[in-house]
């Protein structure tokens, strides 16, 4: 049976998008430690990294009493696909998915709906792995399919639905696309101020974000070129957007969210390491994120990059920033084998995957406000386009 603690993961209510600052979705970076650190520093909302719909569908949900988390573990290789800490993320967590199919999108959303606050569809990622599967920015050129996906989610979920898009070729095309998205009943739209072909080194078009925001009645969340706390007010005032989301700036120094000003990189690395420890984060992901934080700052790069790069365990990483005592103390309160969280092998043990302590359970269904069981295709209240769309198969490597 599911633990009492796990029952608290049921979420209710709408997300407030007025005057909020969010950690934007970032592949690899947007795992639990960075989300927790962003919240500690002042973020109001945190997005997960993009997870492909089929990847989250193929998971089992575990309530993890060692870490006080809810873990979604891949049935095939037993890696943790998504982990959330309800005690800190409840009311603030947006789950972003990559999808190109309304049926698989709904199945993925239903998988996590009880443990998140909003479902977001990625329509902005320009990377080949996303676009080649018809996901991310590829959806900007398929308005009928986008309408189908979003309307299907809206009609069948109890949680709000949003999406994150990019600029199209002209402001007029972006506004037309955004108005179509708005017509599906989504709660908000995140807008990255660059076109698909534009790279981060090119300035974001705040002027075009402003045009889109003024044309819509739902909240628009501005994204692009926010690198210090003062930029948050600047982009909000210039564009008239309801809220702001931050990606690269928050990865380079997550203390960007602090109204009191930036912390030293040493303090940020220490704080981040502690979040990695309590999140049971695999050291490989922790290491990659720390390298992104220091690589572009000459002083930090010289002091830490090489040592971080050489780390082979979470113990090594914690030692780089003099947080090994914290790591050791936290691990002393875990069962011996639970330290395998840090190399990603915990659930690969049959002992843990099938244990009575780590509980695999579906969300508890106690009232009509909870998620209904996943239904068959004939029972989905779908919104077909005219003419009906052909369902494309999403190929995920």
């Amino acid at each position: 049976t599911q633990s009492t603690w796990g029952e608290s993961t049921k979420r209710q209510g709408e997300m407030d998008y007025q005057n909020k600052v969010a950690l934007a979705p970032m592949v690899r970076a947007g795992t639990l430690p960075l989300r927790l650190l962003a919240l500690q520093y002042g973020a109001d909302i945190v997005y997960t990294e993009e997870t492909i719909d089929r990847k989250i569908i193929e998971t089992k949900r575990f309530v993890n009493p060692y870490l006080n988390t809810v873990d979604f573990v891949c049935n095939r290789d037993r890696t943790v696909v998504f982990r959330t800490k309800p005690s800190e993320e409840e009311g603030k967590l947006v789950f972003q998915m990559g999808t190109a199919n309304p049926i698989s999108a709904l199945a993925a959303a239903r998988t996590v709906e009880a443990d998140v606050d909003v479902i977001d569809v990625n329509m902005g990622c320009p990377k080949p792995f996303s676009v080649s599967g018809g996901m991310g920015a590829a959806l900007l050129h398929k308005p009928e399919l986008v309408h189908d996906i979003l309307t299907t989610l809206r009609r069948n979920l109890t949680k709000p639905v949003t999406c994150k898009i990019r600029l199209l070729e002209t402001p007029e095309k972006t506004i037309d696309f955004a108005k179509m998205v708005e017509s599906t009943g989504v709660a908000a739209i995140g807008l990255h101020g660059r076109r698909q072909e534009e790279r981060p080194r090119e300035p974001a078009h705040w002027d075009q974000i402003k045009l889109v925001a003024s044309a819509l009645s739902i909240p628009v969340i501005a994204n692009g070129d926010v690198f210090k706390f003062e930029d948050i007010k600047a982009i909000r005032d210039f564009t008239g957007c309801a809220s702001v989301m931050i990606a690269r700036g928050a990865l380079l120094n997550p203390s960007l969210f602090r109204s009191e000003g930036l912390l030293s990189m040493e303090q940020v690395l220490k704080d981040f390491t502690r979040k990695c420890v309590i999140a049971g984060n695999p050291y490989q992901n922790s290491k990659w994120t720390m390298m992104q934080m220091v690589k572009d700052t000459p002083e930090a790069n010289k002091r830490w990059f090489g040592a971080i790069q050489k780390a082979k365990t979470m113990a090594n990483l914690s030692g780089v920033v003099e947080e090994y005592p914290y790591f050791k103390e936290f691990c002393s309160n875990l069962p011996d084998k639970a330290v395998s969280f840090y190399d990603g092998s915990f659930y690969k043990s049959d002992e843990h995957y099938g244990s009575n302590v780590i509980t695999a359970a579906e969300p508890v269904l106690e009232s009509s406000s909870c998620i209904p069981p996943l239904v068959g295709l004939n029972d989905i209240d779908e919104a077909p386009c005219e003419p009906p769309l052909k369902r494309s198969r999403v190929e995920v490597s």
Side-chain angles (χ1 to χ4, degrees):
T1 59
Q2 185 173 355
S3 68
T4 301
W5 180 89
E7 294 175 12
S8 69
T9 61
K10 293 179 295 185
R11 311 289 182 87
Q12 299 179 4
E14 297 289 322
M15 179 79 77
D16 179 9
Y17 286 101
Q18 295 299 324
N19 297 314
K20 303 299 181 183
V21 183
L23 175 70
M26 291 181 282
V27 173
R28 295 186 74 178
T31 51
L32 183 56
L34 187 62
R35 300 199 309 266
L36 295 180
L37 188 60
L39 290 172
Q40 176 182 316
Y41 287 157
D44 302 298
I45 300 168
V46 288
Y47 284 68
T48 68
E49 63 175 333
E50 176 195 23
T51 304
I52 305 304
D53 52 12
R54 292 187 179 274
K55 191 170 184 179
I56 199 68
I57 291 169
E58 297 173 352
T59 61
K60 182 185 293 186
R61 177 184 183 273
F62 289 85
V63 175
N64 187 330
Y66 300 131
L67 303 174
N68 287 341
T69 59
V70 174
D71 301 344
F72 290 83
V73 180
C74 178
N75 292 323
R76 289 179 288 104
D77 62 13
R78 298 188 185 179
T79 57
V80 176
V81 175
F82 167 52
R83 171 173 287 160
T84 177
K85 195 175 183 69
S87 62
E88 298 191 41
E89 295 191 288
E90 184 166 357
K92 306 166 186 175
L93 181 62
V94 180
F95 180 86
Q96 188 184 73
M97 75 167 81
T99 188
N101 183 298
I103 305 302
S104 55
L106 180 58
R110 284 266 179 82
T111 301
V112 300
E113 187 182 14
D115 298 293
V116 304
D117 300 290
V118 178
I119 300 294
D120 184 83
V121 179
N122 182 351
M123 301 182 187
C125 181
K127 300 296 184 182
F129 79 87
S130 190
V131 175
S132 63
M135 301 173 287
L139 291 173
L140 297 174
H141 310 289
K142 300 178 180 179
E144 295 87 358
L145 177 56
V146 168
H147 187 278
D148 203 7
I149 291 171
L150 294 177
T151 309
T152 297
L153 293 174
R154 282 280 297 121
R155 290 183 176 180
N156 292 277
L157 298 177
T158 63
K159 299 295 174 64
V161 176
T162 62
C163 66
K164 184 170 185 281
I165 69 173
R166 279 179 173 257
L167 297 175
L168 279 84
E169 294 86 350
T170 67
E172 293 76 19
K173 288 184 178 181
T174 308
I175 290 172
D176 287 345
F177 186 89
K179 284 186 173 181
M180 178 277 297
V181 168
E182 181 180 41
S183 73
T184 67
V186 297
I189 296 177
L191 177 56
H192 186 163
R194 291 182 177 85
R195 293 182 291 275
Q196 181 177 345
E197 69 277 8
E198 292 182 314
R199 301 277 67 86
R201 64 179 176 274
E202 300 174 78
H205 304 285
W206 287 12
D207 55 336
Q208 293 191 36
I209 297 177
K210 179 179 181 178
L211 293 174
V212 177
S214 65
L216 302 182
S217 59
I218 61 173
V220 175
I221 309 167
N223 175 220
D225 291 352
V226 176
F227 294 104
K228 55 183 183 294
F229 186 82
E230 293 73 19
D231 292 341
I232 297 171
K233 184 177 186 301
I235 191 173
R236 183 187 287 137
D237 290 348
F238 185 93
T239 63
C241 285
S243 293
V244 178
M245 64 168 62
I246 310 172
R248 285 185 301 142
L251 180 56
L252 293 174
N253 191 327
S255 66
L256 166 66
F257 291 104
R258 285 169 37 93
S259 59
E260 304 89 341
L262 293 175
L263 294 171
S264 68
M265 182 53 63
E266 179 176 11
Q267 186 60 52
V268 169
L269 290 174
K270 283 177 171 289
D271 291 345
F272 179 72
T273 299
R274 291 193 172 205
K275 298 302 184 187
C276 292
V277 171
I278 66 171
N281 203 52
Y283 84 89
Q284 299 93 330
N285 177 263
S286 304
K287 172 179 174 178
W288 180 87
T289 305
M290 293 170 74
M291 289 169 66
Q292 304 311 303
M293 291 178 179
V294 304
K295 69 176 185 178
D296 292 330
T297 305
E299 181 181 347
N301 187 315
K302 182 178 180 180
R303 181 176 176 185
W304 288 296
F305 189 89
I308 294 170
Q309 190 175 39
K310 293 177 182 177
K312 301 297 184 183
T313 64
M314 193 63 223
N316 293 160
L317 273 179
S318 62
V320 169
V321 292
E322 300 180 354
E323 287 294 336
Y324 178 73
Y326 183 87
F327 171 76
K328 185 176 180 181
E329 180 180 1
F330 185 83
C331 288
S332 70
N333 296 316
L334 297 177
D336 290 343
K337 293 182 181 179
V339 295
S340 58
F341 286 128
Y342 303 109
D343 63 15
S345 67
F346 182 83
Y347 285 107
K348 295 184 179 181
S349 162
D350 289 337
E351 175 186 354
H352 296 136
Y353 196 70
S355 75
N356 292 323
V357 178
I358 301 289
T359 308
E362 295 300 320
V364 177
L365 304 177
E366 296 176 346
S367 70
S368 59
S369 65
C370 297
I371 299 175
L374 184 60
V375 295
L377 300 189
N378 293 333
D379 298 318
I380 294 176
D381 184 8
E382 193 179 349
C385 300
E386 297 294 342
L389 290 171
K390 292 182 179 180
R391 302 297 182 209
S392 59
R393 182 180 178 85
V394 181
E395 299 295 334
V396 180
S397 59

